[in-house]
Structures are given as structure tokens and as C-alpha cells.
Amino acid sequence: MGEEKGMVLESGADLTFEIVSGTEDAAKLVMAWRNDPETLKQSFHQEPKNWPEFHREFVEEYLKDSSVPCLFALADGKRVGFLRFRRVIDSANPRCRTADVSINVAPEERGKGYGSRMLKGMTHILRGLGLSALWAEIKVDNSRSRAIFEKAGFEYVGEYGHAVDDSGEKLRVNRFKLDLVKPAIVESKSECRSIGDGFPCFIIAEAGSNWRVGSPERDREMARSLVDIAKESGCDAVKFQTYRPETTYVANAGESEYLAENGYKRPISEIFADLAMPYEMLQDLADYCESQQILFMSSAFSVRDFEEVDRFSRIHKIASYEITHTRLLEAAARADKPLILSTGASDIEDISFAVDMLKNSMRADLCLMQCTASYPAPIDSMNLESIRWMKQFYGVPVGLSDHSRDSSLIPAAAVAVGANLIEKHFTVSNYLFGPDHKFALEPRELKTMVQSIRTVEEALGDGIKRVLSVEEELYQFARRGLQATKDIDRGVVFKEGENFDILRSGKQKLGMHPRNMAILQSARANRFIPAGEGINEADVEL
């Protein structure tokens, strides 16, 4: 009978990855690789492992967290390496879901490049498990492992002290980090913001064309009022749009059915001409945003528009229908500033083309936005799960450009599935005349949306299951253990239901875990145990 195989998660170029099960075959193979003399030499724990103690450690420690399963790497169906992951907390960013990794390559397979290929090939799997970054520690003199991690894209963080868990031995180690989802960094005069997993959701208040109300003076005042509303609501940025009809649509594009249904029964070129923001407004709005300490943004629809906006914006956003505008993408790449790309009404081919083009030509950071290009967008068209998929597939922060009329549920749900950014249209009043007012949020709703997002972020936590400080009192008071139900004299045989039971200890000393019940089978007490007190291994005479 052949060895039992675990589930295969993913195929790489020449490797597949198998979830490690707790079988004896799997444990004995890992122990053999772990006890190889060359591996022991570079290990933090230099004593060889023994069976069956290692099997217990393998099941109870290596495999205890199914959210980050251990993996075998297979080449042509043969196990050639082992990857162990453990969830850890990044002290600099506690909300970020991170893990550390240790790697073993089968002794007979060394020198074939499997180590770095294993580390590279697992990134899609780990992003799919919700991890944002991976850490590794190796001894300072382990040059071979250092080369493997650096070849796989890990960045050297520094040299640190490390205390070995079981022996307490203190070692000097080199620490490395791999960003599975690389955060975007936005710098302003007053602060530096990170957009990505573990950081607060970046919230963009989309003013769109809702600044346009009449004369230039009234337009300016309305635009400033929108900036004030966005700031008061707690948004990180306020975004306008910069376009010209002659560089957006063909001259005879005709009428939009969507706009006609909302009272705009005019050729699209005339509508765009009326709503086009004068370039002269950009300086004033950018200065006003800076005075209010909120980021200024404006989506550009042509290269000329982009050049005007770029003078004032520290982060750019490209609208969904510009995803195929190669000249605009090239201009955005040259700007060397963080870029947000919306993906409404786009398929994988369009998105991948744009992402590849940008990644190959820009040094700055990229973010994507799930978007449903319908105004308003129906709730059942949100496709929030695509946020998780795009983050896993492209390895960049992903958000939601939300065109639904919902004021808080959809944005909060998006954050719960991993959205790093939220963009939402807003207005002073839904009763104003214009194409974007009707489905936009009013000021009170915008503030509610921001509060809902922040509440969800607090509730999400760091994903590591443990006893929390708020649970500690009841954890000590209400856990069940093996407790004496009457006074037990020394030499008396333990009998469940007669002199002990599985009970909550309250303020009495807690007994051992009920999983150790077998220890009491036919055993006697080696001391007097008063009623209510817990029974522990030291109390048992075998």
C-alpha cells in the first residue's frame, strides 16, 4: 500500500504543493530530513529528534493551525521539500496577518534550486490564505539559506537576538521579510500613509462632478464645501475628475441611455463640456485640501489632463473605462507616484494587460479597485469576493469603488473580505441636478460609512486565536478541569462520578485538562485533596 497523500493546493512551473497530514509516514519523512547532519548544523535545535516524541510534536505543534498548513513540495510527484508556517504578530503592524517560515529540502535533492523555487511557488497559496507578509530567521553564518531567501525575493531586515524556545540558548540571527501583498506608500507634507493589509482602510470621498452648480464662484464654493464634508466625515482623500470632451469621446458619440433616463437628454460631448473642471481650479482645490489636511486627488482622462493633475496630486486614480488607454497608463507610470486603477466593466485580460504594463514600467506602488460600472450599482452586482481574488492573483492592495446606494453595509462588508481602499460618491444633497447626485451619499451617510468601516476594522482583529485579556477572568474561573467532588484522602482510588468529575473550578485550584483522564484510571491520590480542588499529575500515585 502506498503512502497517504494530502490535498494538492497548487501547481507551479515545475512543483506542486501538498497539504501535510499527520500520518506517521509524513512525520517520519520530516524527522529524517530534520535529523540530517547538515540540517542539524544550521538548525536552532541541534539535538536529533526521537520517535515517537517527534510524532506527537509534529501533530500537536507543526499541524495545530490549519489556517497556515504545512506543505510538502513535490517534483514529478516526489516529495522534495517541506515548508512549515506559524502565525506571528508583527509588532510594527499588529493588524497585518503574517507568518514565519522554515524550510527543509530533502538531503538528496540539495543543489537543484528547489529551496528558492519552493518559496516563490507558495506565494499565491499564502495570499489565498489571507497572509500579507512572511518572515524568516536563520543563523548569521548560514550563507546557503540566506542566498535561498534572497533569491526568492525576501528582503534582509537586520541582525537580531533569538532565544531558542526549549533550551533558552541565545543566538544571533538574520531576519528576512517577504511582502506577499506589497503596501502602497503615499507621502504628503504632513504624513506618510501606507495602503495595504494591516493598515487602516484608505477612504476616498468621490466628489465627481458634484462641484458643478452654476457660476465659477459658486462652483468654487461648492467644491470647497465638498472638501470640508469629506474631512469632517473622516475620509483620507477627496477626489474630483479632470477631463475634456474632445479627448474623451468621439465628437458624434450621441446620448447615453443611462444619463437620458436621469434627465440628461443631451449629447455626451455637451454634458462633458458643461461638467469639465477648469484647469485653473486644480491649484485652488489642492491648496485648500492641504490647508484642511486631506489628500487632493483628481482622475485624469487624457495625457494632457494627467499632466495638469500631476502638478498637485501625490496619488493618482485611473477610472475604469481608461484601463485600455495605453498612453494614459504610460503617463501614470512615468509619474512615479502611487497609482489606483479601477476595474469596472473589465475582464481578466484587460486587467492583466494593464497591470503587467504598469508593473514593468513603474517603480511606484499599484492598487486595484473592484468596481461595478453601473450608477447606481445593484447590491447583487458588487462581486466582493473578487477583491480577495485580485489580491491573491496580482499581489497588490485591492479596494472597492462602490457605486451602490448603500451607505455602510457594502463598504463594511468589503473591508471584512480584505478591501484596503474604499471609494464612494458623495454630495451635499441628492436633490441637486446633475448625473452623480442621485446615487451619491449625503454628508450624514458619508460619516456613517466611515464609522462603520472603522468599527469593522476593530472587530476583525489579527486573526490569531488565543485567550484575550478581556476573557482572562472567566478563563480562570469557568474552565472545566478534573475537580474533586468530595474530600479525597491519601491512598483513595480516583473514581469519576464518585469523588471527582469534570467541573468548572471557579476560585478553586484548576485541575488538569480532561484529555488526561486516562492518567486517573485505577490510580490513587498521593495526598489529601480537599473537595473542590483540582487534581493534577503531581497528585497521582500510579
Side-chain angles (χ1 to χ4, degrees):
M1 181 180 293
E3 63 185 21
E4 182 180 343
K5 295 283 186 179
M7 180 188 300
V8 174
L9 285 178
E10 177 179 310
S11 296
D14 60 346
L15 296 176
T16 56
F17 293 92
E18 171 199 346
I19 293 180
V20 177
S21 65
T23 63
E24 288 194 7
D25 284 341
K28 286 179 177 177
L29 183 60
V30 172
M31 188 178 78
W33 292 350
R34 165 69 180 71
N35 286 347
D36 173 73
E38 184 63 27
T39 301
L40 282 177
K41 182 180 177 182
Q42 299 300 342
S43 174
F44 295 160
H45 306 80
Q46 302 207 336
E47 292 296 321
K49 297 290 185 178
N50 298 309
W51 194 269
E53 289 82 4
F54 179 74
H55 189 212
R56 186 182 308 112
E57 177 187 355
F58 188 73
V59 173
E60 295 181 0
E61 295 298 325
Y62 283 48
L63 307 181
K64 70 177 180 180
D65 188 354
S66 61
S67 70
V68 281
C70 296
L71 302 174
F72 278 126
L74 313 179
D76 297 323
K78 179 184 177 183
R79 292 169 174 168
V80 297
F82 172 75
L83 293 158
R84 180 189 180 186
F85 305 100
R86 292 178 298 182
R87 287 292 311 278
V88 295
I89 297 177
D90 181 352
S91 59
N93 187 6
R95 289 184 176 180
C96 190
R97 290 174 58 88
T98 63
D100 67 11
V101 59
S102 56
I103 180 172
N104 285 111
V105 176
E108 67 274 14
E109 302 294 344
R110 290 183 186 137
K112 299 180 182 180
Y114 283 131
S116 59
R117 281 145 64 191
M118 288 162 58
L119 292 167
K120 287 180 180 179
M122 69 183 179
T123 55
H124 279 43
I125 296 173
L126 298 180
R127 284 200 292 261
L129 295 173
L131 294 180
S132 308
L134 203 60
W135 296 88
E137 289 185 347
I138 60 173
K139 288 183 176 180
V140 292
D141 59 351
N142 190 348
S143 57
R144 175 184 291 179
S145 291
R146 176 166 186 159
I148 288 172
F149 282 107
E150 289 180 338
K151 188 175 181 181
F154 283 71
E155 293 185 4
Y156 175 68
V157 176
E159 185 176 318
Y160 294 82
H162 176 93
V164 179
D165 293 338
D166 51 3
S167 67
E169 180 185 4
K170 294 181 179 179
L171 304 172
R172 299 302 296 175
V173 298
N174 286 328
R175 187 175 295 171
F176 298 84
K177 184 183 181 184
L178 176 69
D179 284 316
L180 299 167
V181 181
K182 189 177 184 296
I185 309 297
V186 185
E187 296 185 19
S188 67
K189 289 184 178 179
S190 59
E191 65 174 340
C192 179
R193 281 290 313 272
S194 296
I195 304 174
D197 290 348
F199 298 98
C201 180
F202 189 79
I203 303 175
I204 303 170
E206 169 65 88
S209 62
N210 292 343
W211 57 273
R212 184 77 169 100
V213 290
S215 66
E217 184 59 30
R218 290 181 63 201
D219 291 345
R220 176 177 175 275
E221 291 306 313
M222 175 60 82
R224 286 189 167 207
S225 294
L226 291 168
V227 173
D228 292 339
I229 292 168
K231 174 64 178 179
E232 171 64 22
S233 298
C235 297
D236 299 288
V238 58
K239 189 177 77 65
F240 297 88
Q241 297 176 3
T242 303
Y243 49 74
R244 295 293 176 271
E246 63 272 17
T247 54
T248 306
Y249 282 100
V250 295
N252 56 349
E255 295 183 1
S256 161
E257 291 183 12
Y258 146 68
L259 292 175
E261 291 173 0
N262 286 276
Y264 271 73
K265 296 182 179 180
R266 298 160 57 195
I268 191 67
S269 57
E270 291 184 15
I271 295 173
F272 264 51
D274 179 57
L275 299 177
M277 177 177 284
Y279 290 153
E280 295 75 26
M281 283 186 67
L282 296 174
Q283 173 82 67
D284 179 75
L285 286 175
D287 290 345
Y288 189 69
C289 285
E290 188 168 313
S291 72
Q292 300 303 303
Q293 295 186 312
I294 186 171
L295 279 172
F296 166 79
M297 297 176 64
S298 188
S299 293
F301 287 60
S302 73
V303 174
R304 172 69 196 288
D305 299 332
F306 188 90
E307 290 170 349
E308 293 292 333
V309 170
D310 188 48
R311 296 162 54 200
F312 310 109
S313 185
R314 300 176 186 276
I315 179 172
H316 289 294
K317 162 79 188 300
I318 291 181
S320 293
Y321 288 116
E322 309 309 312
I323 198 169
T324 57
H325 193 334
T326 54
R327 297 294 178 254
L328 182 58
L329 295 179
E330 289 167 353
R334 289 193 300 268
D336 199 26
K337 294 178 181 177
L339 177 65
I340 302 169
L341 178 64
S342 210
T343 63
S346 301
D347 58 20
I348 297 174
E349 185 177 357
D350 284 338
I351 301 169
S352 295
F353 169 80
V355 170
D356 289 344
M357 180 180 177
L358 291 166
K359 281 189 170 182
N360 289 333
S361 57
M362 68 185 285
R363 293 178 299 170
D365 303 317
L366 176 67
C367 304
L368 296 176
M369 297 289 263
Q370 159 58 10
C371 175
T372 301
S374 177
Y375 309 89
I379 298 298
D380 62 2
S381 72
M382 289 295 97
N383 196 16
L384 298 183
E385 280 293 343
S386 66
I387 294 170
R388 204 188 324 252
W389 177 84
M390 283 195 288
K391 190 182 296 185
Q392 177 184 359
F393 192 78
Y394 296 109
V396 300
V398 179
L400 175 69
S401 182
D402 180 14
H403 295 144
S404 75
R405 187 58 189 80
D406 180 79
S407 62
S408 58
L409 179 61
I410 296 302
V415 171
V417 299
N420 306 122
L421 312 88
I422 295 292
E423 179 185 57
K424 192 78 168 176
H425 280 262
F426 76 111
T427 180
V428 170
S429 171
N430 294 137
Y431 295 99
L432 291 173
F433 185 69
D436 293 341
H437 290 291
K438 197 171 185 179
F439 67 89
L441 299 187
E442 292 187 334
R444 176 181 51 80
E445 295 174 305
L446 183 64
K447 191 169 187 176
T448 298
M449 183 195 81
V450 175
Q451 292 170 341
S452 297
I453 288 171
R454 299 306 179 214
T455 299
V456 167
E457 288 177 325
E458 287 186 31
L460 286 174
D462 58 28
I464 297 178
K465 185 60 182 169
R466 62 190 182 281
V467 179
L468 302 175
S469 59
V470 296
E471 300 175 303
E472 189 64 36
E473 191 270 331
L474 284 177
Y475 175 72
Q476 298 298 332
F477 190 86
R479 277 186 304 160
R480 288 183 184 260
L482 302 184
Q483 310 294 129
T485 55
K486 61 172 63 173
D487 290 346
I488 303 175
D489 290 323
R490 181 174 181 174
V492 171
V493 175
F494 293 110
K495 293 183 179 180
E496 183 182 3
E498 182 175 316
N499 57 16
F500 84 93
D501 220 324
I502 302 173
L503 295 169
R504 298 184 182 189
S505 62
K507 291 189 177 294
Q508 297 296 325
K509 179 182 176 182
L510 180 67
M512 57 184 160
H513 195 288
R515 66 170 170 258
N516 298 314
M517 178 82 76
I519 294 174
L520 302 186
Q521 195 74 28
S522 302
R524 298 174 182 272
N526 64 11
R527 71 174 179 93
F528 171 73
I529 304 172
E533 190 171 306
I535 303 167
N536 286 286
E537 287 189 58
D539 303 327
V540 179
E541 182 180 288
L542 299 176

